[in-house]
């Protein structure tokens, strides 16, 4: 069953990845699954875009990558949040919350408004 | 997903295909996992794969983009790591140098001397030789000397010039509202002169219609000195030898035309109105012509053109132009030509000094390398690559070179500031300074030297042989072997280079001595001279009378031994030349030749200290109305009357200014070198001043004691005859003679300085190598002493080592010198470039120096206590 999947904005994707990695280090596939699972397939994450986002985060130093062996004895590139990345995550989270709150205040029904 | 570590061993940088492979692997992993999951959820493997691909997005684009960004990331990492390594190398180097401050100090100072001297000389070469002259189209400008009628013919008949102008020089007595009168060099110039050369810094130059106007353009130096740099100087006046001129312009400091001593320029016409006969005198060749060549015309064409015109003029005016060749040369050659060879020689010499300095520092580094052999070996064992080690050692060299270079540039700047004070009259000195090109040169020299002296020790230090040092007993192959050969080779090279520079300096010194020894034909010591201007007196007879009065007044002063006047001033110039005919002989080529022509007073030769050789000097009875007489010099007498007595023979001057009368030869005098110490000597004809009154004369005053003491009295005496005659400058002849060799003396001094520096550096080098060799053999020496060898034998063996190196160096240096000193020929006087005495002397000096430098360690070696030596490691 597919529902309307919403396209993600680039900045939001970065935030999601950071938050995901804050939970634990993962390889790219794992991150993709995780986000999909958590949003119940509502948010459409193009995997290609995900990997590009991961490279971006690597360049900025918020994320580190290393090759490791999985349980199935396959080599996978595992990403991990750095200390700097953790700080970045915190600041972006609070910014996101402020943003969401502001928007919802505008969208909220005004007492006496016809619905 | 555990991040269990299998960290791939890092060969520094991933290749492009490695990066590609990794990206592909990551994407493949993702697709495989998703496919597997979908298969687990029930899809067929193809459908699962298809969906996985769909979900991924554009795989090819992603692959490309990921590869690109990974490649960029790799590049960035590589650069960062390289920078970190360089910084680390730098830190290590500084630490290593700080541990050995003595070595670092010696090395840096040596390099500073070498680089500083080179930078200084290059600055001079750059400012004087390399920079184009500061005039419009300077490379198209040529100059020649000729008379005004000849000039007009050249302008009319020649088609190689785009523009021409003419000028002549004058000595003026300058007077301004404030300050004492002084003597200045000035030039009278035609209207095209300034437009052809340069624009004024202030005001303007002459307009064509102003050719006869009493206007003046002054130099920057004069502006500062007499007018305090006042910007309101335009419109003010100055007096030049009594005439008033209005200042209309000031030239920039870089304008040195005809040379740096000229400070005022006035229009040609304004000067010619006073001497109209000079405009028509075809044999008065005191004018100088400046020409700008048409595009596409080269010097060969100019010379051919000049030859053709000269030939035509000789045909049309045989009495004035027979045998006269108009010669144009490039302005650049005229300005710097004289000084070019010397400067280039100095540049070469100072380059040699730098090479010697590099060799010394290289030796120092080699010695340190062996001392650090163990450290290097340990680092090799711990995994540092040869390249890395070599690079780090090279960094030390670069750090040393940078320090030496920075210090050297400072040294050069200081040297350049003191250069003008050495009183040399180098052309374009104002343009010499540390500019961008000089700094670039210094940087290049620094880099080159660091590689030169650092590369060999770095490679040697990082080399395989060093690993031997880890063996028991320490030194093993390190002391001798390749390192030793390298060090000895460097010393031999140093000595050879020193030899070349010393020979060069020695030749110059001998030339200078020869030159100063020259018989100038008169006695400069005790002589005072000053210029007496007589053109105020319209009547020629009056000129002679006034001159005579001045002489009498001066002769009456206490302390004056003799006073005379003449129209020639050694060692600068004799001013006039003339043709002549001898009675009773058919005019042939020899007699058509020219001679200096001077008018002198009776006591002239006595005052000059040039005693009459035959016959008599002029007397008061040789006046204007009396029988015309002449005196000739030794060269002319020998040429015209070989082996016979010339007294009584008759001679006629062939000169448009003089009427043709036969004059009787009454005396013969020695040759006086009017054109400088290296004047080969030429024929000279003297007439009594009253019979040929010039517009001026040079007073020659011989003093009993030191000549300068008479200065005030002399000035007062002349002034008392006529205030208009007050001399602007009184000079001592000895100083003039000394000045005439000032430039030569300066070059000799400089080259000798460099030679001594080179020798000192070489001596230090020898000392270092021998001392090191002795320290290496301390144990061996101790054994020999203990076994009863005489200390003298030890000294002898050490000395032999040092002298062996020295002799090898001298031999090579000798060959090099024989080949290279050829280039100095134009600078030498009376000495051949392969002068045996100089070569032998220098060789002996170097051997002695090497002996002393080896002697100290030798003597120390002999005093080694055998017991201590045997325990020495």
């Amino acid at each position: 069953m597919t529902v309307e999947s919403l396209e993600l904005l680039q900045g939001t994707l970065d935030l999601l990845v950071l938050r995901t990695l804050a939970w634990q280090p993962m390889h790219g596939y794992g991150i993709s699954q995780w986000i999909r699972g958590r949003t119940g397939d509502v948010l459409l994450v193009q995997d290609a875009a995900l990997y590009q986002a991961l490279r971006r985060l690597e360049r900025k130093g918020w994320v580190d990558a290393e090759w490791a062996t999985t349980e199935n004895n396959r080599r996978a590139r595992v990403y991990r949040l750095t200390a700097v990345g953790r700080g970045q995550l915190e600041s972006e989270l609070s910014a996101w919350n402020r943003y969401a709150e502001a928007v919802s205040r505008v969208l909220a029904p005004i007492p006496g408004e016809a619905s | 997903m555990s991040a269990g570590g299998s960290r791939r061993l890092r060969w520094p940088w991933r290749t492009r295909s490695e990066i590609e492979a990794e990206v592909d692997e990551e994407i493949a992993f993702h697709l495989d996992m998703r496919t597997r999951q979908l298969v687990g959820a029930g899809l067929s493997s193809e459908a699962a794969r298809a969906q996985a691909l769909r979900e991924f997005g554009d795989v090819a684009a992603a692959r490309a983009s990921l590869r690109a960004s990974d490649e960029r990331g790799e590049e960035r990492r590589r650069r960062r790591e390289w920078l970190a390594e360089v910084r680390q190398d730098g830190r290590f180097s500084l630490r290593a140098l700080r541990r050995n401050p003595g070595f670092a100090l010696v090395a840096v100072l040596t390099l500073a001397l070498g680089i500083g001297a080179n930078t200084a000389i290059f600055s001079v070469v750059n400012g004087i030789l390399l920079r184009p002259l500061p005039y419009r189209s300077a490379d198209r400008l040529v100059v020649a000397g000729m008379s005004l009628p000849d000039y007009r013919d050249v302008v009319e008949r020649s088609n190689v010039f785009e523009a021409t102008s003419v000028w002549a020089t004058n000595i003026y007595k300058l007077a301004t509202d404030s300050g004492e009168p002084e003597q200045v060099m000035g030039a009278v110039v035609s209207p095209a002169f300034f437009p052809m050369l340069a624009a004024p810094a202030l005001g303007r130059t002459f307009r064509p219609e102003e050719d006869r106007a009493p206007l003046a353009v002054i130099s920057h130096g004069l502006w500062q000195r007499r007018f305090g740099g006042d910007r309101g100087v335009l419109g003010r006046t100055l007096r030049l030898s009594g005439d008033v001129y209005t200042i209309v312009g000031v030239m920039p400091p870089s304008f040195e035309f005809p040379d740096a001593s000229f400070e005022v320029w006035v229009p040609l016409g304004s000067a010619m109105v006073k001497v109209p006969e000079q405009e028509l005198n075809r044999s008065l060749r005191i004018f100088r012509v400046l020409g700008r060549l048409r595009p596409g015309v080269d010097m060969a064409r100019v010379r051919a053109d000049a030859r053709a015109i000269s030939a035509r003029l000789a045909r049309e005016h045989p009495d004035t132009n027979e045998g006269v060749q108009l010669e144009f040369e490039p302005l650049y050659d005229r300005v710097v030509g004289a000084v070019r060879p010397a400067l280039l020689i100095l540049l070469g010499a100072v380059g040699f000094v730098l090479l010697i300095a590099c060799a010394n520092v290289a030796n120092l580094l080699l010695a340190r390398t062996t001392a650090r052999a163990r450290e290097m070996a340990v680092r090799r064992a711990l995994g540092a690559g040869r390249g890395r080690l070599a690079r780090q050692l090279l960094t030390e060299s670069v750090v040393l070179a940078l320090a030496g270079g920075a210090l050297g540039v400072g040294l050069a700047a200081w040297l350049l500031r003191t250069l003008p004070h050495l009183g040399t009259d180098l052309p374009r000195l104002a343009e010499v300074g540390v500019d961008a090109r000089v700094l670039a040169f210094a940087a290049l020299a620094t880099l080159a030297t660091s590689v030169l002296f650092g590369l060999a020790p770095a490679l040697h230090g990082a080399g395989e042989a060093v690993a031997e040092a880890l063996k028991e007993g320490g030194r093993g192959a390190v002391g001798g072997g390749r390192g030793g050969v390298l060090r000895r080779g460097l010393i031999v090279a140093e000595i050879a280079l020193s030899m070349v520079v010393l020979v060069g300096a020695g030749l110059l010194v001998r030339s200078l001595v020869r030159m100063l020894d020259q018989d100038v034909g008169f006695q400069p010591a005790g002589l005072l001279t000053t210029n007496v201007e007589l053109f105020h007196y319209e009547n020629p007879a009056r000129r002679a009378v006034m001159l005579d009065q001045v002489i009498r007044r001066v002769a009456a002063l206490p302390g004056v031994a003799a006073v005379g006047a003449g129209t020639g001033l050694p060692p600068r110039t004799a001013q006039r030349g003339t043709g002549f005919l001898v009675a009773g002989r058919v005019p042939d080529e020899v007699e058509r030749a020219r001679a200096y022509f001077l008018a002198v007073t009776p006591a002239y030769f006595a005052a000059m200290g040039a005693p009459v050789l035959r016959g008599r000097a002029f007397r008061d009875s040789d006046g204007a109305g009396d029988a015309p007489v002449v005196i000739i010099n030794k060269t002319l007498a020998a040429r015209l009357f070989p082996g016979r007595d010339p007294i009584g023979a008759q001679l006629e001057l062939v000169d448009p200014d003089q009427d043709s009368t036969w004059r009787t030869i009454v005396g013969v005098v020695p040759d006086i070198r009017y054109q400088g110490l290296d004047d080969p000597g030429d024929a000279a004809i003297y007439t009594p001043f009253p019979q040929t009154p010039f517009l001026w004369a040079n007073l020659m005053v011989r003093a009993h004691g030191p000549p300068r003491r008479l200065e005030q009295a002399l000035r007062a005496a002349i002034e008392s005859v006529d205030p208009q005659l007050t001399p602007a400058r009184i000079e001592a002849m000895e100083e003039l003679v000394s000045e005439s060799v000032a430039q030569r003396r300066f070059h000799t001094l400089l080259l000798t300085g460099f030679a001594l520096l080179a020798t000192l550096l070489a001596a230090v080098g020898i000392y270092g190598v021998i001392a090191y060799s002795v320290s290496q053999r301390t144990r061996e020496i101790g054994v020999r002493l203990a076994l009863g060898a005489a200390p003298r034998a030890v000294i002898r063996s050490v000395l032999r080592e040092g002298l062996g190196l020295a002799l090898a160096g001298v031999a090579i240096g000798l060959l090099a010198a024989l080949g290279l000193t050829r280039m100095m020929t134009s600078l030498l006087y009376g000495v051949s470039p392969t002068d045996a005495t100089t070569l032998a002397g220098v060789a002996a000096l170097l051997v002695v120096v090497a002996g002393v430098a080896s002697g100290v360690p030798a003597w120390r070696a002999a005093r080694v206590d055998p017991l201590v030596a045997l325990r020495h490691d």
Side-chain angles (χ1 to χ4, degrees):
Chain A
M1 174 179 76
T2 47
V3 292
E4 256 181 39
S5 307
L6 304 170
E7 295 253 350
L8 267 181
L9 294 171
Q10 180 179 297
T12 327
L13 177 56
D14 288 0
L15 181 54
L16 291 181
V17 170
L18 287 175
R19 181 65 184 93
T20 307
L21 290 178
W23 172 243
Q24 68 171 53
M26 283 181 209
H27 49 61
Y29 176 67
I31 298 173
S32 161
Q33 289 298 93
W34 176 269
I35 293 177
R36 192 169 286 158
R38 293 280 289 194
T39 69
D41 276 336
V42 171
L43 285 180
L44 176 73
V45 180
Q46 283 269 354
D47 297 319
L50 173 66
Y51 280 100
Q52 278 161 357
L54 284 166
R55 289 299 191 274
R56 216 169 29 240
L57 295 173
E58 255 186 289
R59 190 173 60 235
K60 290 187 183 161
W62 298 339
V63 146
D64 245 350
E66 221 175 52
W67 284 96
T69 333
T70 65
E71 292 113 10
N72 331 7
N73 255 334
R74 284 203 64 172
R75 265 182 21 116
R77 200 151 184 260
V78 176
Y79 295 88
R80 171 183 74 81
L81 199 61
T82 62
V84 182
R86 213 169 278 274
Q88 182 67 19
L89 171 62
E90 309 231 338
S91 65
E92 286 213 15
L93 260 178
S94 64
W96 169 266
N97 286 329
R98 279 201 308 273
Y99 172 74
E101 202 202 315
V103 170
S104 60
R105 256 191 274 135
V106 172
L107 296 176
I110 303 164
E113 192 184 353
S115 55
Chain B
M1 273 159 282
S2 67
S6 82
R7 190 145 199 208
R8 205 159 62 122
L9 249 185
R10 231 169 158 211
W11 171 241
W13 309 117
R14 298 184 289 171
T15 62
R16 190 168 258 177
S17 48
E18 280 171 351
I19 293 176
E20 273 182 32
E22 288 198 0
V23 166
D24 290 347
E25 196 175 346
E26 192 172 6
I27 296 178
F29 175 81
H30 183 113
L31 291 172
D32 286 347
M33 293 290 281
R34 183 59 177 151
T35 307
R36 202 171 323 161
Q37 188 183 51
L38 288 173
V39 162
L43 275 78
S44 72
S45 51
E46 298 86 20
R49 183 90 189 157
Q51 180 165 338
L53 282 169
R54 230 187 2 251
E55 284 172 354
F56 196 89
D58 188 344
V59 175
R63 192 177 275 156
S65 143
L66 290 177
R67 271 188 212 156
S69 90
D70 275 358
E71 273 167 20
R72 259 173 296 154
E74 196 73 13
E75 181 65 42
R76 249 180 315 211
R77 259 187 300 264
R78 191 192 326 207
R79 228 175 300 144
R80 235 179 297 147
E81 172 129 347
W82 180 79
L83 267 170
E85 275 185 359
V86 167
R87 236 176 293 146
Q88 187 187 48
D89 282 349
R91 254 179 292 137
F92 275 175
S93 307
L94 284 173
R95 223 184 310 153
L97 291 174
R98 231 178 317 181
R99 253 184 282 136
N100 259 321
F103 153 78
L105 197 66
V106 170
V108 168
L109 279 179
T110 310
L111 290 170
L113 276 174
I115 297 180
N118 270 277
T119 306
I121 296 296
F122 182 79
S123 291
V124 174
V125 168
N126 181 46
I128 296 181
L129 297 180
L130 295 180
R131 295 243 227 96
L133 293 173
Y135 310 127
R136 305 196 170 115
S137 315
D139 55 329
R140 315 284 304 153
L141 293 173
V142 296
V143 289
M146 61 186 74
S147 59
L148 276 183
D150 281 351
Y151 169 65
R152 278 186 221 112
D153 284 328
V154 166
V155 170
E156 204 182 288
R157 296 172 184 176
S158 169
N159 56 1
V160 297
F161 296 115
E162 194 172 73
T164 58
S165 76
V166 63
W167 83 90
T169 64
N170 239 334
I171 303 179
Y172 290 111
K173 195 189 319 180
L174 171 76
T176 54
D177 297 332
S178 58
E180 288 291 310
E182 63 173 316
Q183 189 168 298
V184 295
M185 294 295 295
V188 298
V189 303
S190 70
F193 180 81
F194 283 113
M196 281 178 78
L197 291 170
L202 198 62
R204 62 178 180 84
T205 56
F206 311 128
R207 298 194 196 106
E209 62 270 20
E210 289 171 331
D211 195 39
R212 290 178 187 256
L215 306 174
V217 170
I218 63 176
S219 73
H220 181 92
L222 188 65
W223 179 45
Q224 296 291 328
R225 202 171 64 244
R226 297 298 295 222
F227 299 94
D230 174 21
R231 293 192 81 82
V233 69
L234 304 178
R236 286 172 66 173
T237 59
L238 43 72
R239 293 182 97 87
L240 294 172
S241 296
D243 297 316
V244 177
Y245 290 83
T246 310
I247 299 173
V248 295
V250 180
M251 296 308 287
S254 60
F255 189 82
E256 294 180 349
F257 204 102
D259 66 47
S261 62
F262 284 84
E263 303 195 273
V264 64
W265 297 267
V266 298
L268 184 62
S270 71
M272 299 315 289
V273 287
K274 301 200 197 88
V275 284
E277 70 278 7
Q278 288 195 1
E279 286 197 78
L280 306 168
N281 186 343
R282 202 175 269 274
S283 58
L284 185 63
R285 298 201 162 79
I286 56 173
F287 295 89
R288 298 275 171 270
V289 171
L290 178 69
R292 183 160 60 226
L293 303 180
R294 285 225 162 86
V297 171
D298 63 357
M299 279 315 291
R301 185 149 157 221
V302 172
R303 292 206 176 99
D305 190 68
R307 268 198 301 273
I309 296 181
S310 304
R312 189 160 156 198
L313 288 173
R315 275 199 310 276
E316 294 174 356
H317 308 275
D319 46 330
T320 57
N321 283 45
E322 167 113 9
V324 170
Q325 186 66 249
L326 298 176
E327 277 177 18
F328 283 91
E329 64 171 334
L331 180 62
Y332 176 84
D333 288 359
R334 197 53 169 359
V335 174
V336 304
V339 98
R340 194 156 188 268
L343 284 182
L344 292 177
I345 300 270
L346 283 173
L347 193 63
V350 89
F352 280 10
V353 169
L354 185 60
L355 286 176
I356 297 178
C358 285
N360 263 3
V361 178
N363 260 335
L364 279 173
L365 280 175
L366 279 174
R368 281 222 328 146
T369 302
T370 54
R372 296 165 69 186
R374 204 162 264 160
E375 174 197 339
M376 292 294 138
V378 167
R379 287 169 75 190
R380 285 285 303 282
L382 287 180
R386 260 193 84 176
R388 185 86 173 72
L389 267 186
R391 190 163 45 145
Q392 203 228 304
L393 286 173
L394 201 57
T395 309
E396 286 183 28
S397 305
V398 170
V399 168
L400 280 176
L402 281 174
L407 204 61
V409 169
L411 184 67
W414 176 80
L415 276 174
L416 288 175
R417 227 174 307 148
T418 57
L419 190 73
H421 301 291
L422 290 172
T424 54
D425 50 352
L426 285 173
R428 305 181 73 187
L429 204 54
E431 301 184 53
V432 168
V434 178
D435 67 359
R437 194 190 280 167
V438 172
L439 284 175
F441 171 85
L444 197 67
T446 305
L447 213 64
T449 55
S450 70
V451 168
L452 254 173
F453 71 73
L455 196 62
L459 290 176
H460 182 249
E464 289 299 333
V466 173
E468 299 285 304
L470 266 187
K471 297 200 177 143
E472 287 280 340
R475 281 167 293 129
V478 175
R482 255 182 45 223
V485 168
L486 197 55
R487 304 191 67 207
R488 279 167 173 65
L490 284 173
I491 290 297
V492 169
E494 282 187 39
I495 297 182
L497 289 171
S498 299
M499 173 107 184
V500 174
V501 185
L502 271 174
V503 167
L507 288 174
L508 277 191
V509 167
R510 288 203 79 193
S511 296
L512 185 63
V513 168
R514 278 274 160 86
M515 217 178 173
L516 290 174
D517 262 354
Q518 279 305 311
D519 180 14
V520 287
F522 65 103
Q523 304 291 326
L527 205 54
L528 218 53
T529 177
T530 184
N531 188 302
V532 179
E533 295 171 338
L534 299 166
F535 50 73
H536 313 291
Y537 310 114
E538 299 275 341
N539 186 342
R542 187 134 168 75
R543 285 181 220 144
V545 166
M546 295 309 289
L547 183 61
D548 188 59
Q549 269 193 31
V550 167
I551 291 178
R552 277 182 209 286
R553 201 63 69 87
V554 172
L557 291 174
V560 170
V563 189
T567 57
L569 181 63
R572 284 209 201 113
T573 177
Q575 287 276 344
R576 293 284 293 266
T578 185
F580 55 89
L581 292 174
V582 180
R585 295 162 74 137
V586 174
D588 65 14
E589 248 184 71
V590 172
E591 271 130 53
R592 288 285 187 163
R594 309 183 58 72
Y596 292 140
F597 168 34
L598 293 90
V600 300
T601 63
Y604 178 76
F605 295 111
M608 291 285 277
V612 171
L613 297 171
R614 287 183 99 112
R616 62 171 181 84
F618 294 134
R619 295 192 285 250
D620 287 333
S621 56
D622 299 312
D626 302 309
V629 290
V630 285
I631 292 177
I632 61 177
N633 71 351
K634 203 163 63 160
T635 299
L636 191 55
R639 198 188 294 172
L640 297 177
F641 308 100
R644 285 178 292 133
D645 186 2
I647 309 292
Q650 304 247 300
L651 193 143
E652 178 184 327
L653 297 175
V654 180
D655 184 290
D657 278 356
Q658 311 300 331
D659 14 305
S660 15
T661 37
W662 288 106
R663 301 168 196 262
T664 314
I665 299 176
V666 295
V668 178
V669 289
D671 294 345
I672 295 179
R673 293 179 188 268
Y674 286 102
Q675 308 265 53
L677 288 180
D678 50 357
D679 178 0
D682 224 340
I685 300 177
Y686 299 91
T687 55
F689 194 90
Q691 293 186 356
T692 50
F694 278 43
L695 294 167
W696 50 270
N698 288 319
L699 208 63
M700 302 288 180
V701 182
R702 179 161 295 279
H704 280 306
R708 280 286 176 195
R709 265 198 279 162
L710 284 179
E711 208 175 316
Q712 295 284 50
L714 179 59
R715 187 172 275 128
I718 300 177
E719 207 168 43
S720 70
V721 173
D722 182 350
Q724 271 187 321
L725 295 174
T726 308
R729 191 189 289 179
I730 298 176
E731 293 170 295
M733 183 58 73
E734 247 182 329
E735 283 169 27
L736 287 181
V737 169
S738 169
E739 257 170 49
S740 73
V741 292
Q743 210 174 89
R744 176 178 283 275
R745 201 184 10 235
F746 175 68
H747 294 142
T748 307
L749 222 68
L750 214 55
L751 192 60
T752 308
F754 289 152
L756 290 176
L757 183 61
T759 312
L760 182 68
L761 286 174
V764 167
I766 299 178
Y767 172 82
V769 161
I770 300 296
Y772 182 77
S773 152
V774 163
S775 78
Q776 296 287 80
R777 292 162 43 195
T778 309
R779 194 189 272 177
E780 171 202 330
I781 294 174
V783 166
R784 286 179 39 199
L785 286 175
L787 288 180
R792 217 173 313 151
V794 172
I795 294 182
R796 226 178 312 148
S797 86
V798 174
L799 270 181
R800 220 190 328 223
E801 194 184 340
L803 288 176
L805 293 175
L807 284 172
V810 163
I812 299 178
L814 201 68
L815 289 172
L818 283 173
L820 291 174
T821 49
R822 217 168 296 274
M823 296 196 268
M824 285 181 71
T825 318
S826 64
L827 292 174
L828 300 179
Y829 182 80
V831 178
S832 125
T834 54
D835 182 48
T837 322
T838 313
L839 289 169
V842 167
L845 174 68
L846 274 176
V847 168
V848 166
V849 164
V852 169
S854 322
V856 176
W859 181 72
R860 286 247 216 85
R863 297 174 79 236
V864 160
D865 180 350
L867 290 175
V868 172
L870 285 169
R871 272 186 266 124
H872 192 274
D873 186 80

